[in-house]
Amino acid sequence: MSPTHPTASAPPVVTAPLRLTADHWFRVHGARSRTTRRLVCFPHAGGTAQLFHGWPARLPLGVEILAVRYPGRQDRLAERCVEDMAEMADAVTEALLAYTDRPLALFGHSMGSAIAYEVAVRLEARGVRPERLYVSGRAAPHRARPADGRAGDDAELIATVRGLGDYHSEVYDIPELRELLLPALRADYRLIETYRPARPVPLRTPVTAYTGLADTHCPVEDVRAWSELTGPGCFTLRTFPGDHFYLVPHEAELVRDISSHLH
């Protein structure tokens, strides 16, 4: 396990109201006029921007969160789900260009890590270098393995999701919610399972990787392979107790570590 960090007191609570961007791609938390930098957060497969609702209170003042809102869920439910990585990364990158007037960093969990990486590649190609890419619960693109149940029926797909951890999996027991949620979940699995870059593009952006030690679907050595996609001395890895959704019970510790790089 990587070294732990000294305990630090929690930063002041961010009291600015939550808002949505006009293009619907981001849920925004944080001060408008006092924004000094932005942290763009990408949810996991089947996930929503709600995963990051507790983060603003734990981040330093001046850090604005842009939580990515994928189509096909919540108040974007009527929109077509995106099943292709290039289409998703292109769309998020285009929407994000309006927010590059401040330094920004990218955080992704699970599928979100792969999307965040592809957005970082596109930003660098446009001359915008993120301060850092944080990847969580995801093997490096060239080391990722197919998930069980990716081509099965609904029951198999739900079993695959439950095999990752207990985070909100109970919603699939409610028929009305299951009917609403499964199309987005299946689209996300198609997106990530068809994403197999043989030679991922190396970044100039530093990379920090996080993973849960009990995440059997994401071996530590496959997470460590993200080091091959950034420059020498630009990679760090930290592990936490817990499964694929370690970041829920360890939110305070994780956000504290992220905050230590945001300066």
Side-chain angles (χ1 to χ4, degrees), residues 59-246:
L59 286 167
L61 290 175
V63 177
E64 182 178 75
I65 284 188
L66 302 181
V68 180
R69 303 170 64 238
Y70 305 136
R73 64 212 77 194
Q74 294 189 321
D75 48 0
R76 300 190 71 182
L77 187 64
E79 299 181 43
R80 177 181 62 85
C81 297
V82 177
E83 300 180 0
D84 176 74
M85 175 63 83
E87 181 183 350
M88 179 73 83
D90 285 347
V92 177
T93 302
E94 287 299 322
L96 196 53
L97 290 176
Y99 300 91
T100 56
D101 59 320
R102 300 286 190 277
L104 57 82
L106 311 177
F107 173 91
H109 179 62
S110 196
M111 177 189 76
S113 295
I115 300 174
Y117 160 74
E118 286 292 335
V119 170
V121 169
R122 286 158 172 77
L123 288 173
E124 286 196 355
R126 291 173 177 260
V128 178
R129 179 180 173 182
E131 287 191 309
R132 187 170 293 268
L133 170 65
Y134 302 93
V135 293
S136 167
R138 181 71 186 172
H142 54 300
R143 295 284 289 271
R145 307 169 188 182
D148 296 333
R150 63 193 183 281
D153 60 19
D154 290 347
E156 289 174 317
L157 183 58
I158 292 170
T160 297
V161 172
R162 285 183 163 146
L164 296 173
D166 292 330
Y167 178 67
H168 286 182
S169 63
E170 69 278 1
V171 297
Y172 296 108
D173 294 327
I174 305 170
E176 296 81 2
L177 288 179
R178 184 168 61 242
E179 184 178 349
L180 288 174
L181 297 173
L182 274 174
L185 179 64
R186 187 165 291 283
D188 288 351
Y189 265 76
R190 289 193 185 108
L191 182 151
I192 199 60
E193 292 302 332
T194 55
Y195 173 64
R196 288 287 179 270
R199 296 183 179 179
V201 178
L203 296 169
R204 293 183 295 117
T205 300
V207 176
T208 293
Y210 302 106
T211 195
L213 286 171
D215 187 350
T216 58
H217 297 266
C218 195
V220 173
E221 287 309 307
D222 289 348
V223 178
R224 196 186 304 277
W226 282 100
S227 63
E228 300 167 24
L229 299 181
T230 189
C234 293
F235 176 77
T236 55
L237 170 67
R238 185 172 181 193
T239 58
F240 289 85
D243 59 22
H244 192 65
F245 291 104
Y246 75 89

